[in-house]
Amino acid sequence: MFEIKNVSMIYDMDSDEKMYALSNVDLELPERGLVGIIGPSGSGKSTLMYCLSTLKKPTEGSILYKGEELTALTPAKREMLRRQKFGFIFQKHYLVPYMTAFDNCVVSALPGDPEAAERAKSMMSRLGLREKEFKKRPAKLSGGQCQRVAIARAMINGPEVVFADEPTASLDHENAFNVMRVLREYAEEHLVLVVTHDRSILQDADRIIEIWDGRISAIKDAER
Ligand SMILES: Nc1ncnc2c1ncn2[C@@H]1O[C@H](COP(=O)(O)OP(=O)(O)O)[C@@H](O)[C@H]1O
Ligand SMILES: [Mg+2]
């Protein structure tokens, strides 16, 4: 589904010494499954994810998504792709503080989607949030609850790909486990990419990509 060819990303192009956040990465990703990207801090995990999701444009190389060259898309087309096909989860939940949990979730729905409200409710319920929490603002919810709202929001349009950058890093063990359970379930029919430096959350991953100093150092497929 993704074909990444010879992708490099250099930050700080002006300085004498070039900083390669990614160097000559080749990679193919399947249409569905839970894929972990693991590596130490600063190894280029987020950069790789942001290049794949069109939030960043690599300095060099080609990224095909379903045969379409992402690096050649106009900004408007990139935004459309992100809105319609991709879902994003970050370490911080980035909920809007003055909106209820429910509104935070529905606000990301595509315009004119008549089923968005129902889907938001069922998604939040599946994530273990109760009706009384739907009406609360983020300040009245726990960190784990906020992150679950953010996950429901990321999935409101049924994205083909979910990009999760350290989604469990600010959660306790139990909440982290619940979040991974939901992502695991979604990955049965979609592609879920999870960036982390914590191997323990990837025990059910279909594939683990190890990254070191901007290079892929290993790819391991699970026997499932
Ligand atoms: N916007 C930026 N400008 C300059 N350097 C950056 C920027 N973002 C990341 N980097 C550098 O690129 C490298 C990879 O960063 P990143 O992809 O965030 O790694 P990770 O997510 O694995 O911690 C690091 O050395 C980081 O300092
Ligand atoms: Mg990162």
Side-chain angles (χ1 to χ4, degrees):
M1 169 173 265
F2 275 103
E3 290 172 71
I4 299 123
K5 287 183 204 134
N6 202 30
V7 162
S8 295
M9 179 70 158
I10 307 169
Y11 291 115
D12 245 345
M13 291 284 284
D14 298 335
S15 73
D16 294 341
E17 207 164 322
K18 286 185 176 174
M19 226 303 290
Y20 277 83
L22 295 174
S23 37
N24 308 103
V25 171
D26 290 310
L27 186 64
E28 281 187 27
L29 295 175
E31 208 158 313
R32 56 173 66 101
L34 181 63
V35 176
I37 301 177
I38 193 159
S41 176
S43 55
K45 306 183 293 297
S46 295
T47 301
L48 177 59
M49 178 168 278
Y50 296 158
C51 285
L52 287 171
S53 59
T54 77
L55 290 173
K56 285 186 179 181
K57 191 172 173 173
T59 319
E60 274 172 50
S62 156
I63 301 177
L64 298 180
Y65 176 70
K66 292 186 160 176
E68 187 166 37
E69 178 58 62
L70 295 187
T71 60
L73 293 181
T74 62
K77 286 219 166 115
R78 285 202 301 268
E79 190 189 326
M80 193 111 83
L81 179 73
R82 290 197 298 262
R83 271 185 79 87
Q84 294 178 341
K85 311 280 194 229
F86 296 168
F88 291 89
I89 304 163
F90 300 96
Q91 179 176 350
K92 292 187 199 156
H93 54 72
Y94 295 115
L95 298 180
V96 181
Y98 56 82
M99 285 179 151
T100 65
F102 174 77
D103 288 341
N104 262 288
C105 192
V106 172
V107 78
S108 283
L110 296 170
D113 179 349
E115 279 142 29
E118 273 316 305
R119 252 197 341 270
K121 285 181 194 164
S122 86
M123 197 69 87
M124 288 197 293
S125 301
R126 273 179 52 205
L127 284 156
L129 294 158
R130 290 160 295 181
E131 290 267 347
K132 63 176 185 183
E133 282 140 9
F134 295 1
K135 300 186 204 90
K136 289 187 178 170
R137 294 183 185 187
K140 300 277 180 197
L141 298 171
S142 71
Q145 289 169 333
C146 286
Q147 190 63 319
R148 281 182 272 160
V149 176
I151 292 170
R153 177 184 60 185
M155 294 175 170
I156 185 84
N157 298 318
E160 293 172 359
V161 188
V162 173
F163 295 96
D165 192 354
E166 308 269 8
T168 61
S170 50
L171 301 179
D172 60 41
H173 184 76
E174 191 185 340
N175 277 307
F177 181 83
N178 283 330
V179 163
M180 288 313 296
R181 183 177 48 78
V182 173
L183 293 179
R184 173 68 258 173
E185 210 176 295
Y186 199 74
E188 299 301 323
E189 301 293 336
H190 307 85
L191 178 61
V192 177
L193 270 176
V194 177
V195 156
T196 182
H197 59 269
D198 176 7
R199 195 171 287 273
S200 72
I201 68 164
L202 294 179
Q203 57 195 9
D204 293 329
D206 298 302
R207 177 177 294 181
I208 296 182
I209 297 165
E210 295 186 359
I211 176 164
W212 185 270
D213 244 357
R215 290 172 194 276
I216 290 173
S217 52
I219 297 179
K220 288 172 190 151
D221 283 323
E223 294 163 26
R224 299 183 84 232

